[in-house]
Amino acid sequence: MATDVPSELADHYDVLVVGGGHAGAQVAIALRQRNFDGTIAIVTEEFEQPYERPPLSKDYLSGEKDFERILIRPKDFWRDRHIDLGLGRRVTAVDPQAHRITVEDGSTLGYGQLVWAAGGHARSISCSGHNLAGVHSIRSRKDVDTLESELAATTRVAVIGGGYIGLEAAAVLTKLGKQVTVLEALDRVLARVAGEPLSRFFEAEHRAHGVDLRLNTQVDCIQDRDGRACGVRLADGEIIACEMVIVGIGMIPSVAPLRAAGAGGDAGVDVDEHCRTSLPDVFAIGDCAAHKSAFADGATIRLESVQNATDMATAAAQTIMGAPQVYHAVPWFWSNQYDLRLQTVGLSWNHDEALVRGDPGTRSFSVIYRRSGRVIALDCVNATKDYVQGRRLVVQASEASSEVLQDPATLLKDI
Ligand SMILES: Cc1cc2nc3c(=O)[nH]c(=O)nc-3n(C[C@H](O)[C@H](O)[C@H](O)COP(=O)(O)OP(=O)(O)OC[C@H]3O[C@@H](n4cnc5c(N)ncnc54)[C@H](O)[C@@H]3O)c2cc1C
């Protein structure tokens, strides 16, 4: 596997970014776009230049895109913009008084402003067998390269978790000719992020493509043959024989050093509307940052999306530049499975109504979510027009009637 050699770093940076994912890369890019002329470094655990994570369960996994094509910027970009990359360096501690961080190797670095953009790590399953060879998660390039190196010897794959990453992986692996079983603990897939009509549609699609999809299914353990996974035993005793297990059960925010330094938060690190943590001169952005969202009825939430990482990065860059801008971006997200493109705008998690617009049987339709009669989100399947035009309904919390919203003859832009 080609990796980049960690470069030498200075002792102090005006802006020090921890984490070289979407959020970390974007804050450095946004600062240079705004003519920030101070010193910037990105210190990150992985040995790769910043790259896009969504293709890992889509076209990078399928082999349709190589690594060069998923880099966030071309290789020379960082050097040309005078952004130092400290690859292969995991930050273990933050000293907010001294304005210094400590790296795993014991070295320390000073900062003027610290931007914590460390995302998170894949949650591992706690049952026995979780660390056997052949058990994978999909969070980093290394994860996917390792998984791919075992694919030729794999006929059957068990995917634990029917969330977006598990379902995307199931779709790719099915297309690659593998026999895929998806094991979901709840009574429907995508239960935490989408309404029932969308879940049922994707369940039918996966089954139609040959996936053995099990709902209400508890995993007891992963079975071991000579140190390798050879099956998943379910709570009812059934054994799903397989050569590979993919665990897609969410992520854990990488925030321990910041929390140990005193930053407030629960599952992540709390930030204000300018992405500032409770520590002086320390920002947090992206998957690890929890913020109060007007799109979630004022609740404090963490979003795991490229949109959130990018827009929070811009808000933090604006504040660093002395022109604070409140983070108030409409959440959006996408997922590709087979020939289906799902586009989501808004947040549906506390909806009380899910209206279907169009006919799921045509494989082009939308689900419009409302709370107390107001539109809060749309899930659009092969329906880009609805996605583009529905955004305004979310921003304005439209009170249009369900008859109008569900009438495919009425364009959403005309509502
Ligand atoms: C397989 C997959 C598919 C996805 N698909 C979609 C999609 O279709 N659409 C969408 O909108 N979003 C998608 N996402 C989510 C999206 O990729 C994330 O929301 C986004 O990557 C978050 O960016 P981030 O910079 O906050 O975190 P990350 O991208 O996780 O980057 C954080 C970086 O910090 C590093 N790091 C962690 N701890 C430390 C430490 N202590 N010291 C130094 N470095 C550290 C990590 O190794 C990592 O390189 C997907 C995610 C995955 C994993």
Side-chain angles (χ1 to χ4, degrees), residues 22-23 45-46 53 58 91 118 139 254 287 304-306 334:
H22 281 274
E45 188 179 14
E46 289 183 74
R53 238 161 265 278
K58 306 179 182 72
V91 174
R139 180 79 203 173
S254 179
D287 280 12
E304 295 170 17
S305 71
V306 170
W334 77 95

Side-chain angles (χ1 to χ4, degrees), residues 18-24 43-46 53-58 89-92 116-121 138-139 165 168 254 257 285-288 303-307 309 332-335:
V18 177
H22 281 274
V43 177
T44 193
E45 188 179 14
E46 289 183 74
R53 238 161 265 278
L56 294 180
S57 51
K58 306 179 182 72
R89 291 171 162 93
R90 192 167 75 87
V91 174
T92 52
W116 191 266
H121 296 104
I138 303 184
R139 180 79 203 173
I165 292 176
E168 288 176 353
S254 179
I285 58 175
D287 280 12
C288 65
L303 290 176
E304 295 170 17
S305 71
V306 170
Q307 167 276 318
W332 55 262
F333 188 82
W334 77 95
S335 173

